[in-house]
Amino acid sequence: MLPNKVSIFEVGARDGLQNEVPVSSNAKVQLIENLADAGINRIEAGSFVSPKWVPQMADSSEVIKSITRKQGVKYSALTPNLKGFELALDAGVDEVAIFGAASQSFSQKNINCSIEESIERFIPLMEKAKSLNIPVRGYVSCVLGCPYEGDIDVAEVARVSAILYNMGCYEISLGDTIGVGTPVKARRMVETVAKQVPVDKLALHFHDTYGQALANILACLETGVSVIDASVAGLGGCPYAKGASGNLATEDVVYMLNGMGIETGIDLTKLAKAGHAISQVLGRANGSKVANALL
Ligand SMILES: CC(C)(COP(=O)([O-])OP(=O)([O-])OC[C@H]1O[C@@H](n2cnc3c(N)ncnc32)[C@H](O)[C@@H]1OP(=O)([O-])[O-])[C@@H](O)C(=O)NCCC(=O)NCCSC(=O)C[C@@](C)(O)CC(=O)[O-]
């Protein structure tokens, strides 16, 4: 059954901008404020990773500290370890996200350790977050394929998802990092994970490299998932997944949901303008078909 309401988790300012040409901190702040103004209430605003690995996110602290906060909006950031967690907290995030993978090779390339080592690194972070009452989201990458290993066993996706959930992550975001998934496969993957993690604790994080993300989302919404990660103007990709394009454009998914009578609380015109503005700053074409049609 389809949900009546979907919660959009906007990742453009992080997953998007981490893989674009560097933009000023001011431009990031403006983007984040525009997104909030469009009615988005969950915004990933930065990433506290090594600046040598992802220089585009090196100013995350400055960005997060400079945002004029909108009431009711949760501002989040990626934190791979305790160091990142402490920096994120100092910047004033409302919540953080840890990120693992269902592929050993991707885990090595992305965070320089095996899946098991990554879990070990997350333990002290989770303990500290729990003691401070900071919600932690968990990402699992490569749920529908890996740029290094190809097909990934759904049992492994479910295993890693369950570990992160049982460690205390309040939601598990399933990442089709390189956008290779197709609808039936995506749905089966979600159904398998949902045997170990409640479906209302799952989110879809689908990149659109092969133009399948909207179809994949529709197929998975029928399983009862009601949280979708999306990236305004289709910004981004992943620096450790060659060829990956951005997440599905937020404007495109909101348009589809509007057409199905599914509530998101988002003003599509304001959202499209936010995506248009950052695309202009980046000097790139807007990756949202809907925004291009509307504007
Ligand atoms: C995880 C590490 C740090 C391990 O990297 P490492 O080299 O194994 O870690 P280390 O502890 O040995 O530290 C090495 C250096 O990094 C520094 N360092 C260590 N931690 C931090 C930190 N938190 N913040 C700032 N600096 C840090 C640390 O201080 C040291 O600095 P040095 O002594 O060389 O000057 C590294 O591999 C890394 O930063 N990787 C970045 C990965 C990344 O950001 N990938 C993109 C995001 S994931 C993604 O996009 C997928 C997702 C989530 O969207 C879902 C999907 O689509 O699938």
Coordinates of all heavy atoms in Angstrom, one line a residue, residues 15-112:
D15 N 25.7 15.3 -0.2 CA 25.9 14.3 -1.2 C 26.1 15.0 -2.6 O 26.9 14.6 -3.4 CB 24.8 13.3 -1.3 CG 25.2 12.0 -1.9 OD1 26.4 11.8 -2.2 OD2 24.3 11.1 -1.9
G16 N 25.3 16.1 -2.8 CA 25.4 16.8 -4.0 C 26.8 17.5 -4.1 O 27.6 17.3 -5.0
L17 N 26.9 18.5 -3.2 CA 28.1 19.4 -3.4 C 29.4 18.8 -3.1 O 30.5 19.3 -3.4 CB 27.9 20.7 -2.5 CG 26.7 21.5 -2.9 CD1 26.6 22.8 -2.0 CD2 26.8 22.0 -4.3
Q18 N 29.4 17.6 -2.4 CA 30.7 16.9 -2.2 C 31.4 16.5 -3.5 O 32.6 16.2 -3.6 CB 30.6 15.7 -1.3 CG 30.0 14.5 -1.9 CD 29.8 13.3 -1.0 OE1 30.0 13.4 0.2 NE2 29.4 12.2 -1.5
N19 N 30.6 16.4 -4.5 CA 31.1 15.9 -5.8 C 30.9 16.9 -7.0 O 30.8 16.5 -8.1 CB 30.4 14.6 -6.2 CG 31.2 13.7 -7.1 OD1 32.5 13.7 -7.0 ND2 30.6 13.0 -8.0
E20 N 30.8 18.2 -6.6 CA 30.8 19.2 -7.6 C 32.0 20.1 -7.5 O 32.8 19.9 -6.5 CB 29.5 20.1 -7.4 CG 28.2 19.3 -7.5 CD 27.7 19.0 -8.9 OE1 28.4 19.5 -9.9 OE2 26.7 18.3 -9.1
V21 N 32.2 21.0 -8.4 CA 33.3 22.0 -8.2 C 33.1 22.7 -6.9 O 31.9 23.0 -6.5 CB 33.4 23.0 -9.4 CG1 33.8 22.3 -10.7 CG2 32.1 23.8 -9.6
P22 N 34.1 23.1 -6.2 CA 33.9 23.8 -4.9 C 33.1 25.1 -5.1 O 33.3 25.8 -6.0 CB 35.3 24.1 -4.4 CG 36.2 23.2 -5.2 CD 35.6 22.9 -6.5
V23 N 32.2 25.3 -4.1 CA 31.5 26.6 -4.1 C 31.7 27.3 -2.7 O 32.2 26.6 -1.8 CB 30.0 26.4 -4.3 CG1 29.6 25.8 -5.7 CG2 29.3 25.6 -3.2
S24 N 31.4 28.5 -2.7 CA 31.7 29.3 -1.4 C 30.8 28.8 -0.3 O 29.7 28.3 -0.5 CB 31.5 30.8 -1.6 OG 30.1 31.0 -1.8
S25 N 31.3 29.0 0.9 CA 30.5 28.7 2.1 C 29.1 29.5 2.0 O 28.1 29.0 2.4 CB 31.2 29.0 3.4 OG 32.5 28.4 3.4
N26 N 29.2 30.7 1.6 CA 28.0 31.5 1.5 C 27.0 30.9 0.6 O 25.8 30.9 0.9 CB 28.3 32.9 1.0 CG 28.8 33.8 2.1 OD1 28.7 33.5 3.2 ND2 29.5 35.0 1.7
A27 N 27.4 30.4 -0.6 CA 26.5 29.8 -1.5 C 25.9 28.5 -0.9 O 24.7 28.3 -1.1 CB 27.3 29.4 -2.8
K28 N 26.6 27.8 -0.1 CA 26.0 26.6 0.6 C 25.0 27.0 1.6 O 23.9 26.4 1.7 CB 27.2 25.8 1.3 CG 28.2 25.2 0.4 CD 29.2 24.5 1.2 CE 30.3 23.9 0.3 NZ 31.4 23.2 1.0
V29 N 25.3 28.1 2.4 CA 24.4 28.6 3.4 C 23.1 29.0 2.7 O 22.0 28.7 3.1 CB 25.0 29.7 4.2 CG1 24.0 30.4 5.1 CG2 26.2 29.2 5.0
Q30 N 23.2 29.7 1.6 CA 22.1 30.2 0.9 C 21.2 29.1 0.4 O 20.0 29.1 0.5 CB 22.5 31.1 -0.3 CG 21.4 31.8 -1.0 CD 20.7 32.8 -0.1 OE1 21.3 33.8 0.4 NE2 19.4 32.6 0.1
L31 N 21.9 28.0 -0.2 CA 21.2 26.9 -0.7 C 20.4 26.2 0.5 O 19.2 25.9 0.4 CB 22.2 25.8 -1.2 CG 21.6 24.4 -1.5 CD1 20.5 24.5 -2.6 CD2 22.6 23.4 -1.9
I32 N 21.0 26.0 1.6 CA 20.4 25.4 2.8 C 19.2 26.2 3.2 O 18.1 25.7 3.5 CB 21.4 25.1 3.9 CG1 22.4 24.1 3.4 CG2 20.8 24.7 5.2 CD1 23.7 24.0 4.2
E33 N 19.4 27.5 3.3 CA 18.3 28.4 3.7 C 17.1 28.3 2.7 O 15.9 28.3 3.1 CB 18.8 29.8 4.0 CG 19.7 29.8 5.2 CD 20.3 31.2 5.5 OE1 20.1 32.1 4.7 OE2 21.0 31.3 6.5
N34 N 17.4 28.3 1.4 CA 16.4 28.2 0.4 C 15.6 26.9 0.5 O 14.4 26.9 0.3 CB 17.0 28.3 -1.0 CG 17.5 29.7 -1.3 OD1 17.2 30.7 -0.6 ND2 18.3 29.8 -2.4
L35 N 16.3 25.8 0.8 CA 15.7 24.5 0.9 C 14.7 24.5 2.1 O 13.6 24.1 2.0 CB 16.7 23.4 1.1 CG 17.6 23.1 -0.1 CD1 18.8 22.3 0.3 CD2 16.8 22.5 -1.3
A36 N 15.1 25.1 3.2 CA 14.3 25.2 4.4 C 13.0 26.0 4.1 O 11.9 25.7 4.4 CB 15.0 25.7 5.6
D37 N 13.3 27.1 3.3 CA 12.2 28.0 3.0 C 11.2 27.3 2.1 O 10.0 27.7 2.1 CB 12.8 29.3 2.3 CG 11.7 30.3 2.1 OD1 11.0 30.6 3.0 OD2 11.6 30.8 0.9
A38 N 11.7 26.4 1.3 CA 10.8 25.6 0.4 C 9.9 24.6 1.2 O 9.1 23.9 0.6 CB 11.6 25.0 -0.7
G39 N 10.2 24.4 2.5 CA 9.4 23.5 3.3 C 10.1 22.2 3.6 O 9.5 21.3 4.1
I40 N 11.4 22.1 3.2 CA 12.1 20.8 3.5 C 12.5 20.9 5.0 O 13.1 21.9 5.4 CB 13.3 20.7 2.6 CG1 12.8 20.5 1.2 CG2 14.2 19.5 3.1 CD1 13.8 20.0 0.2
N41 N 12.2 19.8 5.7 CA 12.5 19.9 7.2 C 13.6 18.9 7.6 O 13.8 18.8 8.8 CB 11.2 19.8 8.0 CG 10.5 18.5 7.7 OD1 11.1 17.6 7.1 ND2 9.3 18.4 8.2
R42 N 14.2 18.3 6.7 CA 15.4 17.4 7.1 C 16.5 17.7 6.0 O 16.3 17.3 4.8 CB 15.0 15.9 7.0 CG 13.8 15.6 7.9 CD 13.3 14.2 7.8 NE 14.3 13.2 8.4 CZ 14.2 11.9 8.3 NH1 13.3 11.4 7.5 NH2 15.1 11.1 8.9
I43 N 17.5 18.3 6.5 CA 18.6 18.8 5.5 C 19.9 18.3 6.0 O 20.4 18.6 7.1 CB 18.6 20.3 5.4 CG1 17.2 20.8 5.0 CG2 19.7 20.8 4.5 CD1 17.1 22.3 4.9
E44 N 20.6 17.6 5.1 CA 22.0 17.2 5.4 C 22.9 18.4 4.9 O 22.9 18.7 3.7 CB 22.3 15.9 4.6 CG 23.5 15.2 5.3 CD 23.6 13.7 4.8 OE1 23.8 13.5 3.6 OE2 23.4 12.8 5.6
A45 N 23.5 19.0 5.9 CA 24.1 20.3 5.6 C 25.6 20.2 5.4 O 26.2 21.2 5.1 CB 23.7 21.3 6.8
G46 N 26.2 19.1 5.7 CA 27.7 19.0 5.6 C 28.2 17.6 5.9 O 27.4 16.7 6.1
S47 N 29.5 17.6 6.0 CA 30.2 16.3 6.2 C 31.5 16.5 7.0 O 32.3 17.3 6.5 CB 30.4 15.6 4.8 OG 31.0 14.4 5.0
F48 N 31.7 15.8 8.1 CA 32.9 16.0 8.9 C 33.8 14.8 8.6 O 33.9 13.9 9.5 CB 32.5 16.2 10.3 CG 31.8 17.5 10.5 CD1 30.4 17.6 10.4 CD2 32.5 18.6 10.8 CE1 29.8 18.8 10.5 CE2 31.9 19.9 10.9 CZ 30.6 20.0 10.8
V49 N 34.4 14.8 7.4 CA 35.3 13.7 7.0 C 36.6 14.4 6.8 O 36.8 15.6 7.0 CB 34.8 13.0 5.7 CG1 33.4 12.3 5.9 CG2 34.7 14.0 4.6
S50 N 37.6 13.6 6.4 CA 39.0 14.1 6.2 C 38.9 15.1 5.1 O 38.5 14.8 4.0 CB 40.0 13.0 5.9 OG 41.1 13.6 5.4
P51 N 39.4 16.4 5.3 CA 39.4 17.4 4.2 C 40.3 16.9 3.1 O 40.2 17.4 1.9 CB 39.9 18.6 4.9 CG 40.5 18.2 6.2 CD 39.9 16.9 6.6
K52 N 41.3 16.0 3.4 CA 42.1 15.5 2.3 C 41.4 14.6 1.4 O 41.6 14.5 0.2 CB 43.3 14.7 2.9 CG 44.3 15.7 3.5 CD 45.6 14.9 4.0 CE 46.4 15.8 4.9 NZ 47.1 15.1 6.0
W53 N 40.4 13.9 1.9 CA 39.6 13.0 1.1 C 38.5 13.7 0.3 O 38.2 13.4 -0.8 CB 38.9 11.9 2.0 CG 39.9 10.9 2.5 CD1 41.0 11.1 3.2 CD2 39.9 9.4 2.2 NE1 41.7 9.9 3.5 CE2 41.0 8.9 2.9 CE3 39.0 8.6 1.5 CZ2 41.2 7.5 2.8 CZ3 39.2 7.3 1.5 CH2 40.4 6.7 2.1
V54 N 37.8 14.6 1.0 CA 36.7 15.4 0.4 C 36.8 16.9 0.7 O 36.2 17.4 1.6 CB 35.3 14.8 0.8 CG1 34.2 15.5 0.0 CG2 35.2 13.3 0.7
P55 N 37.7 17.5 -0.1 CA 37.9 19.0 0.2 C 36.7 19.8 0.1 O 36.6 20.9 0.8 CB 39.0 19.4 -0.9 CG 39.2 18.2 -1.8 CD 38.6 17.0 -1.2
Q56 N 35.7 19.4 -0.7 CA 34.5 20.2 -0.9 C 33.7 20.4 0.4 O 32.9 21.3 0.5 CB 33.6 19.6 -2.0 CG 34.1 19.6 -3.4 CD 34.8 18.3 -3.7 OE1 35.5 17.7 -2.9 NE2 34.8 17.9 -5.0
M57 N 34.0 19.5 1.3 CA 33.2 19.6 2.6 C 34.0 20.2 3.7 O 33.6 20.2 4.9 CB 32.7 18.2 3.0 CG 31.6 17.6 2.1 SD 30.0 18.4 2.3 CE 29.8 19.3 0.7
A58 N 35.2 20.7 3.4 CA 36.1 21.1 4.5 C 35.5 22.3 5.3 O 35.9 22.5 6.5 CB 37.4 21.5 3.9
D59 N 34.6 23.1 4.7 CA 34.1 24.2 5.4 C 32.7 23.9 6.1 O 31.9 24.8 6.5 CB 33.9 25.4 4.5 CG 32.9 25.1 3.3 OD1 32.6 23.9 3.2 OD2 32.5 26.0 2.6
S60 N 32.4 22.6 6.4 CA 31.1 22.2 6.9 C 30.8 22.9 8.3 O 29.7 23.3 8.5 CB 31.0 20.7 7.1 OG 30.9 20.1 5.8
S61 N 31.9 23.1 9.1 CA 31.6 23.7 10.4 C 31.2 25.2 10.2 O 30.2 25.6 10.8 CB 32.9 23.6 11.2 OG 32.7 24.2 12.4
E62 N 31.9 25.9 9.4 CA 31.6 27.3 9.1 C 30.2 27.4 8.5 O 29.4 28.3 8.9 CB 32.6 27.8 8.1 CG 32.6 29.3 7.9 CD 33.5 29.7 6.7 OE1 34.5 28.9 6.4 OE2 33.2 30.7 6.1
V63 N 29.9 26.5 7.6 CA 28.5 26.5 6.9 C 27.4 26.3 8.0 O 26.5 27.1 8.0 CB 28.5 25.5 5.8 CG1 27.0 25.3 5.3 CG2 29.4 25.8 4.7
I64 N 27.6 25.3 8.7 CA 26.5 25.0 9.7 C 26.3 26.1 10.7 O 25.2 26.4 11.1 CB 26.7 23.6 10.3 CG1 26.5 22.5 9.2 CG2 25.8 23.3 11.5 CD1 27.0 21.1 9.5
K65 N 27.5 26.6 11.2 CA 27.4 27.7 12.2 C 26.7 29.0 11.6 O 26.2 29.8 12.3 CB 28.8 28.0 12.7 CG 29.3 27.0 13.7 CD 30.7 27.3 14.2 CE 31.2 26.3 15.2 NZ 32.6 26.4 15.5
S66 N 26.8 29.1 10.3 CA 26.3 30.4 9.6 C 24.8 30.3 9.2 O 24.3 31.3 8.8 CB 27.1 30.7 8.4 OG 28.5 30.7 8.7
I67 N 24.2 29.1 9.3 CA 22.8 29.0 8.8 C 21.9 29.8 9.7 O 22.0 29.6 10.9 CB 22.4 27.5 8.8 CG1 23.3 26.7 7.9 CG2 20.9 27.4 8.4 CD1 23.1 25.2 8.1
T68 N 21.0 30.5 9.1 CA 19.9 31.1 10.0 C 18.9 30.0 10.1 O 18.3 29.6 9.1 CB 19.3 32.3 9.3 OG1 20.3 33.3 9.1 CG2 18.2 32.9 10.1
R69 N 18.8 29.4 11.2 CA 18.0 28.2 11.4 C 16.5 28.5 11.3 O 16.0 29.5 11.8 CB 18.2 27.6 12.8 CG 19.6 27.3 13.2 CD 19.9 26.0 12.6 NE 21.3 25.6 12.9 CZ 21.7 24.5 13.6 NH1 20.8 23.7 14.0 NH2 22.9 24.3 13.8
K70 N 15.8 27.6 10.7 CA 14.3 27.7 10.6 C 13.8 26.7 11.6 O 14.2 25.5 11.7 CB 13.9 27.3 9.2 CG 12.4 27.6 9.0 CD 12.0 27.4 7.6 CE 10.4 27.4 7.5 NZ 9.9 26.7 6.4
Q71 N 12.8 27.1 12.4 CA 12.2 26.3 13.4 C 11.6 25.0 12.8 O 10.9 25.2 11.7 CB 11.1 27.0 14.2 CG 11.1 26.7 15.6 CD 10.0 27.3 16.4 OE1 9.3 28.2 15.9 NE2 9.8 26.9 17.6
G72 N 11.8 23.9 13.4 CA 11.1 22.7 12.8 C 12.0 22.0 11.8 O 11.7 20.9 11.4
V73 N 13.1 22.6 11.5 CA 14.0 21.9 10.5 C 15.2 21.2 11.3 O 15.8 21.8 12.2 CB 14.6 22.9 9.5 CG1 15.6 22.3 8.5 CG2 13.5 23.6 8.7
K74 N 15.5 20.0 10.9 CA 16.6 19.3 11.5 C 17.8 19.3 10.5 O 17.7 19.0 9.3 CB 16.3 17.8 11.7 CG 15.1 17.6 12.7 CD 15.6 17.4 14.1 CE 14.5 17.1 15.0 NZ 14.3 18.2 16.0
Y75 N 18.9 19.8 11.0 CA 20.1 19.9 10.2 C 21.1 18.8 10.6 O 21.4 18.6 11.8 CB 20.8 21.3 10.5 CG 19.9 22.4 10.1 CD1 19.0 23.0 11.0 CD2 19.8 22.9 8.7 CE1 18.1 24.0 10.6 CE2 19.0 24.0 8.4 CZ 18.1 24.5 9.3 OH 17.2 25.5 9.0
S76 N 21.6 18.1 9.6 CA 22.4 16.9 9.9 C 23.7 16.9 9.2 O 23.9 17.8 8.3 CB 21.5 15.7 9.4 OG 22.2 14.5 9.6
A77 N 24.6 16.0 9.6 CA 25.9 15.9 8.9 C 26.4 14.5 8.9 O 26.1 13.8 9.9 CB 26.9 16.9 9.5
L78 N 27.3 14.2 8.0 CA 27.9 12.9 8.0 C 29.1 12.9 9.0 O 29.9 13.9 9.0 CB 28.6 12.5 6.6 CG 27.7 12.1 5.5 CD1 28.6 11.5 4.4 CD2 26.6 11.1 5.9
T79 N 29.2 11.8 9.7 CA 30.4 11.7 10.7 C 30.9 10.2 10.6 O 30.2 9.3 11.1 CB 29.9 12.0 12.1 OG1 28.8 11.2 12.4 CG2 29.5 13.5 12.2
P80 N 32.1 10.0 10.1 CA 32.6 8.7 10.0 C 33.2 8.1 11.2 O 33.4 6.9 11.3 CB 33.7 8.8 8.9 CG 34.2 10.2 9.1 CD 33.0 11.0 9.5
N81 N 33.5 9.0 12.2 CA 34.2 8.5 13.4 C 33.9 9.5 14.5 O 33.3 10.5 14.3 CB 35.7 8.3 13.1 CG 36.3 9.6 12.4 OD1 35.7 10.7 12.6 ND2 37.4 9.4 11.7
L82 N 34.5 9.2 15.7 CA 34.3 10.1 16.9 C 34.8 11.5 16.6 O 34.2 12.5 17.0 CB 35.1 9.5 18.0 CG 34.6 9.9 19.4 CD1 33.1 9.8 19.6 CD2 35.3 9.0 20.5
K83 N 35.9 11.6 15.9 CA 36.5 12.9 15.6 C 35.4 13.8 14.8 O 35.1 14.9 15.2 CB 37.8 12.8 14.8 CG 38.4 14.1 14.4 CD 39.7 14.0 13.7 CE 40.2 15.4 13.3 NZ 41.6 15.5 13.3
G84 N 34.9 13.2 13.8 CA 33.9 13.9 13.0 C 32.6 14.2 13.8 O 32.0 15.3 13.7
F85 N 32.3 13.3 14.7 CA 31.1 13.5 15.6 C 31.3 14.7 16.4 O 30.4 15.6 16.6 CB 30.8 12.2 16.4 CG 29.7 12.4 17.4 CD1 28.4 12.2 16.9 CD2 29.9 12.7 18.7 CE1 27.3 12.4 17.8 CE2 28.9 12.8 19.6 CZ 27.6 12.7 19.1
E86 N 32.5 14.8 17.0 CA 32.7 15.9 17.9 C 32.8 17.3 17.2 O 32.2 18.3 17.7 CB 34.0 15.7 18.7 CG 33.7 14.7 19.9 CD 34.9 14.0 20.5 OE1 36.1 14.3 20.0 OE2 34.7 13.3 21.5
L87 N 33.3 17.2 16.0 CA 33.3 18.5 15.2 C 31.9 18.9 14.8 O 31.6 20.1 14.8 CB 34.2 18.3 13.9 CG 35.7 18.1 14.2 CD1 36.4 17.7 12.9 CD2 36.3 19.5 14.7
A88 N 31.1 17.9 14.4 CA 29.7 18.2 14.0 C 28.9 18.7 15.2 O 28.1 19.7 15.0 CB 29.1 16.9 13.5
L89 N 29.1 18.2 16.3 CA 28.4 18.6 17.5 C 28.8 20.1 17.8 O 27.9 20.9 18.1 CB 28.8 17.7 18.7 CG 27.6 17.3 19.5 CD1 26.6 16.6 18.7 CD2 28.1 16.4 20.7
D90 N 30.1 20.3 17.7 CA 30.6 21.7 18.0 C 30.0 22.7 17.0 O 29.7 23.8 17.4 CB 32.1 21.7 17.9 CG 32.7 23.1 18.1 OD1 32.5 23.6 19.2 OD2 33.2 23.7 17.1
A91 N 29.7 22.2 15.8 CA 29.1 23.1 14.8 C 27.6 23.3 15.0 O 27.0 24.3 14.5 CB 29.3 22.5 13.4
G92 N 27.0 22.4 15.8 CA 25.6 22.6 16.2 C 24.6 21.8 15.4 O 23.5 22.2 15.3
V93 N 25.0 20.7 14.9 CA 24.0 19.8 14.2 C 23.0 19.3 15.1 O 23.2 19.1 16.3 CB 24.7 18.6 13.4 CG1 25.6 19.1 12.3 CG2 25.4 17.7 14.4
D94 N 21.8 19.0 14.6 CA 20.8 18.4 15.4 C 20.9 16.8 15.4 O 20.5 16.2 16.3 CB 19.4 18.7 14.8 CG 19.1 20.2 14.7 OD1 19.2 20.8 15.8 OD2 18.9 20.7 13.7
E95 N 21.5 16.3 14.4 CA 21.7 14.9 14.3 C 22.9 14.6 13.4 O 23.4 15.5 12.7 CB 20.4 14.1 13.8 CG 20.0 14.6 12.4 CD 18.8 13.7 11.9 OE1 17.7 13.9 12.4 OE2 19.1 12.8 11.0
V96 N 23.3 13.3 13.4 CA 24.5 13.0 12.5 C 24.1 11.7 11.8 O 23.1 11.0 12.1 CB 25.8 12.7 13.4 CG1 26.2 14.0 14.1 CG2 25.6 11.5 14.3
A97 N 25.0 11.3 10.8 CA 24.8 10.1 10.1 C 26.2 9.3 10.0 O 27.2 9.9 9.7 CB 24.3 10.3 8.7
I98 N 26.1 8.0 10.3 CA 27.3 7.2 10.0 C 27.1 6.5 8.7 O 25.9 6.4 8.3 CB 27.5 6.1 11.2 CG1 26.3 5.3 11.4 CG2 27.9 6.9 12.5 CD1 26.5 4.2 12.4
F99 N 28.1 6.1 8.1 CA 27.9 5.5 6.7 C 28.8 4.3 6.5 O 30.0 4.3 6.6 CB 28.1 6.5 5.6 CG 29.3 7.4 5.7 CD1 30.4 7.2 4.8 CD2 29.5 8.4 6.6 CE1 31.5 8.0 4.8 CE2 30.6 9.2 6.7 CZ 31.6 9.0 5.8
G100 N 28.1 3.1 6.3 CA 28.8 1.9 6.0 C 28.5 1.4 4.6 O 27.9 2.2 3.8
A101 N 28.9 0.2 4.3 CA 28.6 -0.3 3.0 C 28.3 -1.8 3.1 O 28.7 -2.5 4.0 CB 29.8 0.0 2.1
A102 N 27.6 -2.3 2.0 CA 27.4 -3.7 1.9 C 28.4 -4.4 1.0 O 28.4 -5.6 0.7 CB 26.0 -4.0 1.3
S103 N 29.4 -3.6 0.6 CA 30.5 -4.1 -0.2 C 31.9 -3.8 0.5 O 32.1 -2.7 0.8 CB 30.5 -3.4 -1.6 OG 31.8 -3.3 -2.1
Q104 N 32.7 -4.9 0.6 CA 34.0 -4.7 1.3 C 34.8 -3.7 0.5 O 35.5 -2.9 1.1 CB 34.7 -6.0 1.4 CG 34.1 -7.0 2.4 CD 34.3 -6.6 3.9 OE1 34.9 -5.5 4.2 NE2 33.9 -7.4 4.8
S105 N 34.9 -3.9 -0.8 CA 35.8 -3.1 -1.7 C 35.4 -1.6 -1.6 O 36.2 -0.7 -1.5 CB 35.7 -3.5 -3.1 OG 35.9 -4.9 -3.2
F106 N 34.1 -1.3 -1.6 CA 33.6 0.1 -1.5 C 34.0 0.6 -0.1 O 34.4 1.8 0.0 CB 32.1 0.2 -1.8 CG 31.7 1.6 -1.8 CD1 31.8 2.4 -3.0 CD2 31.1 2.2 -0.7 CE1 31.4 3.7 -3.0 CE2 30.7 3.5 -0.7 CZ 30.9 4.3 -1.9
S107 N 33.8 -0.2 0.9 CA 34.1 0.3 2.2 C 35.6 0.7 2.3 O 35.9 1.8 2.8 CB 33.8 -0.8 3.2 OG 34.1 -0.4 4.5
Q108 N 36.4 -0.1 1.7 CA 37.9 0.2 1.7 C 38.2 1.5 1.0 O 38.9 2.4 1.5 CB 38.7 -0.9 1.1 CG 38.9 -2.2 1.9 CD 39.8 -2.0 3.2 OE1 40.4 -0.9 3.3 NE2 39.8 -2.9 4.1
K109 N 37.6 1.6 -0.2 CA 37.8 2.8 -1.0 C 37.2 4.1 -0.4 O 37.8 5.2 -0.5 CB 37.2 2.7 -2.4 CG 37.8 1.6 -3.2 CD 38.9 2.0 -4.1 CE 39.4 0.9 -5.0 NZ 40.7 1.1 -5.5
N110 N 36.1 3.9 0.3 CA 35.4 5.1 0.7 C 35.8 5.5 2.1 O 36.0 6.7 2.4 CB 33.9 4.8 0.8 CG 33.0 6.0 1.0 OD1 33.3 7.1 0.4 ND2 31.9 5.9 1.7
I111 N 36.0 4.6 3.0 CA 36.4 5.0 4.4 C 37.6 4.3 4.9 O 37.9 4.3 6.1 CB 35.2 4.9 5.4 CG1 34.5 3.5 5.3 CG2 34.2 6.0 5.1 CD1 33.4 3.3 6.3
N112 N 38.3 3.6 4.0 CA 39.7 3.1 4.3 C 39.7 2.0 5.3 O 40.6 1.9 6.1 CB 40.6 4.3 4.7 CG 42.0 4.0 4.5 OD1 42.4 3.2 3.6 ND2 42.9 4.6 5.3

